[in-house]
Amino acid sequence: MSMNIIFLDFDGVMATASYDMYLVKNHYSECDDNGRVKFDPKCIANLKKMIDETNANVVITSDWKYIDTYESLLTMWKQRKMPGFMIDVTPNVSKHRGTEITRWLEECDVDCNYVIIDDLDAENFTENQQSKLVVVNPWSGLDEEVARRAIIILKSQETK
């Protein structure tokens, strides 16, 4: 049995430029009570749809992991009532995101189907990760089309 994993970035994926502009324009705070940038509700809904359809767990790849511990990110995840389970963060072994994902997969005890959702360009990931990468537009982040493509990528691995 394999586990489905969503490797998830935050800035540009969950925290979008369009939502930030909406908050500023309407004189709302851009940050939560802990000083962290707020996530776009549309992106949260699309992440929930992905998790509901694939039963995937979330592993954080975001640069936030260089500042925050896994425990503090998990507390934020729960406080924001984020969908699904954030089971881990990738190890801080490289500034190359693909290398960190590879290391996480090597250290995982079970077989994993995965998708990577990020706003970084493809060169930030290894060649064998390209078919599992969905690069988002940081304006809209994890929108409906990104969610649809990510679900297809995860489900296609389940049948192999």
Side-chain angles (χ1 to χ4, degrees):
M1 185 74 179
S2 58
M3 176 171 49
N4 288 341
I5 298 292
I6 300 167
F7 287 104
L8 187 69
D9 184 25
F10 286 157
D11 295 322
V13 175
M14 299 303 295
T16 63
S18 62
Y19 188 60
D20 190 53
M21 184 176 283
Y22 162 81
L23 293 171
V24 170
K25 182 179 175 188
N26 290 286
H27 308 289
Y28 296 121
S29 173
E30 298 164 72
C31 296
D32 66 13
D33 294 339
N34 296 309
R36 292 187 181 99
V37 178
K38 291 179 180 174
F39 291 163
D40 187 326
K42 292 176 191 166
C43 298
I44 296 169
N46 288 318
L47 178 63
K48 181 179 184 328
K49 177 181 172 57
M50 289 173 52
I51 291 168
D52 288 349
E53 289 196 28
T54 65
N55 199 31
N57 291 308
V58 177
V59 175
I60 303 305
T61 59
S62 172
D63 287 347
W64 291 25
K65 69 190 178 78
Y66 296 119
I67 301 162
D68 291 305
T69 64
Y70 166 73
E71 290 76 17
S72 66
L73 289 172
L74 184 60
T75 298
M76 177 220 44
W77 194 266
K78 290 176 179 176
Q79 285 174 342
R80 292 183 175 188
K81 297 179 176 46
M82 294 293 291
F85 298 100
M86 186 188 82
I87 62 168
D88 206 354
V89 298
T90 52
N92 296 335
V93 295
S94 171
K95 289 294 184 187
H96 187 263
R97 208 155 276 169
T99 301
E100 294 187 334
I101 290 170
T102 298
R103 177 69 64 86
W104 190 92
L105 289 165
E106 289 170 352
E107 294 174 358
C108 186
D109 292 337
V110 298
D111 288 332
C112 294
N113 304 317
Y114 69 92
V115 64
I116 303 165
I117 303 176
D118 213 303
D119 64 333
L120 293 178
D121 293 333
E123 66 261 9
N124 292 282
F125 302 92
T126 65
E127 190 175 323
N128 64 342
Q129 293 168 348
Q130 300 297 318
S131 65
K132 299 173 183 180
L133 172 64
V134 183
V135 177
V136 308
N137 178 332
W139 175 258
S140 54
L142 202 172
D143 62 18
E144 288 180 20
E145 176 60 18
V146 169
R148 187 188 68 76
R149 289 174 50 209
I151 290 166
I152 290 169
I153 289 169
L154 278 173
K155 287 187 173 185
S156 71
Q157 294 171 68
E158 291 173 355
T159 59
K160 291 181 181 175

